[in-house]
Amino acid sequence: MEIKVLVVEDEEAIREMLELALQQSGFIVELAEDVKEAEALLDRVIPDIILLDWMLPGVSGIDWARRLKKDELHGEIPIILLTARGAEEDKVKGLDSGADDYVTKPFSPKELSARIRAVLRRVGSLAGQSTIEMAGLLLDSEQHRFSIEGVTVELSPTEYRLIEFFMSHPQRVYSRNQLLDQVWGRSTFIEDRTVDVHIRRLRKILAEHGRDELIQTVRGFGYRFSEKH
Ligand code: CA
């Protein structure tokens, strides 16, 4: 599935960096310098998602986001606001405008790609997508198959659900309790350390392919699945 991303960013260097990084992640990229250009673009293409800089000359990103969300034709397009601001109140303001997510500069291209996919998954655009690929790992939920660098890896049902959860929720830290809820379901009566046992097994399997560092322990919190260390 081709995902079209519209980037609205007035700074040329950032625009070019985003274009390159997003293309490398497999996205189709459309660029606009400001809202005026972006609106002209929307007349001929409907992107799957918009990356919108907050500080733009003329109409600001946040004002345009607010306007777009009321627009019948474009109101459903998810928006990620890009900004140098990091203050909590700005974040709230950004999300109040109707933006679906908020990324503070500077950000890594990998993080941004992951956030784009997470937002698209949330709004259902990726619902029909049955494979997730990351760091040489491939999960095919239709065939219920997991492989590393093309080699099929046998997993227990729990290990499969765990890797499926991690691969569809990368970068974020989850506590043992959250993992229990998400992977085992709320109604199960199992202990926190069961999570550790399964994580240990999954790590061992990944280690055979040199990928165990993908599952990271965040001391005092839980676990994170990430390519970054
Ligand atoms: Ca700007």
Side-chain angles (χ1 to χ4, degrees), residues 51-93:
L51 297 189
L52 182 57
D53 185 28
W54 180 313
M55 300 296 269
L56 290 169
V59 181
S60 76
I62 195 165
D63 285 338
W64 194 49
R66 217 169 269 137
R67 207 198 290 164
L68 265 185
K69 286 294 173 184
K70 289 184 195 140
D71 184 313
E72 207 172 308
L73 194 59
H74 304 108
E76 299 292 308
I77 304 173
I79 297 173
I80 296 181
L81 273 178
L82 305 176
T83 177
R85 297 167 186 238
E88 201 55 34
E89 58 186 279
D90 284 334
K91 188 169 174 169
V92 170
K93 210 168 134 193

Side-chain angles (χ1 to χ4, degrees), residues 117-137:
R117 290 184 196 282
V119 167
L120 289 174
R121 212 171 288 124
R122 214 160 60 214
V123 302
S125 302
L126 290 184
Q129 187 172 314
S130 62
T131 61
I132 310 174
E133 205 173 349
M134 199 179 158
L137 275 57

Side-chain angles (χ1 to χ4, degrees), residues 11-127:
E11 266 172 77
E12 196 182 353
I14 299 179
R15 207 164 54 233
E16 284 174 359
M17 181 274 278
L18 284 170
E19 181 180 29
L20 188 72
L22 292 171
Q23 282 174 346
Q24 279 174 347
S25 300
F27 298 109
I28 311 287
V29 186
E30 299 278 355
L31 301 173
E33 280 184 43
D34 53 27
V35 166
K36 210 174 143 200
E37 242 186 69
E39 284 186 326
L41 239 152
L42 284 188
D43 282 340
R44 55 177 182 84
V45 277
I46 296 201
D48 295 290
I49 189 163
I50 300 174
L51 297 189
L52 182 57
D53 185 28
W54 180 313
M55 300 296 269
L56 290 169
V59 181
S60 76
I62 195 165
D63 285 338
W64 194 49
R66 217 169 269 137
R67 207 198 290 164
L68 265 185
K69 286 294 173 184
K70 289 184 195 140
D71 184 313
E72 207 172 308
L73 194 59
H74 304 108
E76 299 292 308
I77 304 173
I79 297 173
I80 296 181
L81 273 178
L82 305 176
T83 177
R85 297 167 186 238
E88 201 55 34
E89 58 186 279
D90 284 334
K91 188 169 174 169
V92 170
K93 210 168 134 193
L95 294 174
D96 273 352
S97 72
D100 298 84
D101 202 358
Y102 179 97
V103 176
T104 308
K105 294 175 191 172
F107 45 79
S108 79
K110 266 186 188 163
E111 182 195 351
L112 191 62
S113 293
R115 297 281 281 272
I116 290 174
R117 290 184 196 282
V119 167
L120 289 174
R121 212 171 288 124
R122 214 160 60 214
V123 302
S125 302
L126 290 184

